[in-house]
Amino acid sequence: MSRRNARLNAYQLIFGYLFSKEIDETALNTMVSADDIQQADEDYIREVVSGVRDNYDDLMSLIADNSKNFKIERIYKPDLAALLLACYEMKYVDDIPLAVSINEVIEIVKVYSTDKSSKFVNGVLKGVYNALKEV
C-alpha cells in the first residue's frame, strides 16, 4: 500500500468519526489487515486517526481560526475530514512536509467532495500553513 492509500483510509475513518465521535474499530482493523498493507502504513493510519480524535478540539480551533467568514459548523463534512487530516499532519507529524500534506488532501477533496471544495480547503490550509510557520 502506498502512503496515498493509507492517507485515504485515514480520511475515510476520520469522515466516519465526524458523525459518531468514535473511531470505527471494525473498519480500522479491516483496513490495517489488508494483504497489501505494510507496517509503516498501519502505523500511519493508527497514528493519524487516533491523533485527530485526541486533538480534535485543538484541530477544530485551528480550522475555525483559518476559515475566514465561514462558520465551522457549515463546513461540508468531506471537506472537514480532509481539513482535520491535513491539519493533524501539518501540526503533529514532523516527517511530512507541510506542502505535501496540503497537496495530498487537495487531491482527496477533488475526488470526494464538490467542485469548489478544493479551493476552499486550499485557502484554509494556506492560513494554517502560515500560522504554523510563525510558531
Side-chain angles (χ1 to χ4, degrees):
M1 177 178 282
S2 68
R3 174 58 63 95
R4 180 170 281 184
N5 288 337
R7 188 175 279 110
L8 180 57
N9 286 336
Y11 168 78
Q12 293 168 341
L13 290 165
I14 292 166
F15 180 76
Y17 177 80
L18 290 174
F19 294 95
S20 66
K21 296 299 184 265
E22 292 181 15
I23 302 300
D24 183 342
E25 293 294 332
T26 302
L28 173 61
N29 290 329
T30 299
M31 287 177 183
V32 300
S33 64
D35 291 337
D36 63 340
I37 194 163
Q38 297 174 1
Q39 188 62 48
D41 298 326
E42 178 181 347
D43 293 345
Y44 167 83
I45 293 168
R46 289 186 184 279
E47 175 192 351
V48 170
V49 171
S50 64
V52 167
R53 179 197 60 216
D54 295 345
N55 297 286
Y56 182 78
D57 292 335
D58 182 45
L59 295 170
M60 290 293 280
S61 183
L62 185 60
I63 293 166
D65 290 347
N66 291 284
S67 301
K68 307 262 189 292
N69 302 320
F70 208 88
K71 292 183 180 181
I72 199 161
E73 301 84 30
R74 296 194 59 224
I75 297 176
Y76 190 49
K77 296 292 189 224
D79 297 350
L80 185 57
L83 288 166
L84 286 164
L85 172 60
C87 287
Y88 177 79
E89 282 187 1
M90 292 168 73
K91 187 166 184 179
Y92 297 104
V93 182
D94 295 332
D95 66 338
I96 300 175
L98 300 179
V100 170
S101 295
I102 294 170
N103 291 336
E104 289 293 321
V105 163
I106 294 300
E107 292 305 313
I108 290 172
V109 169
K110 285 179 181 177
V111 173
Y112 291 96
S113 199
T114 69
D115 292 338
K116 295 180 180 181
S117 290
S118 62
K119 289 180 183 178
F120 171 74
V121 169
N122 190 49
V124 173
L125 293 178
K126 181 180 178 185
V128 171
Y129 176 90
N130 291 334
L132 293 175
K133 288 301 249 183
E134 291 175 2
V135 175

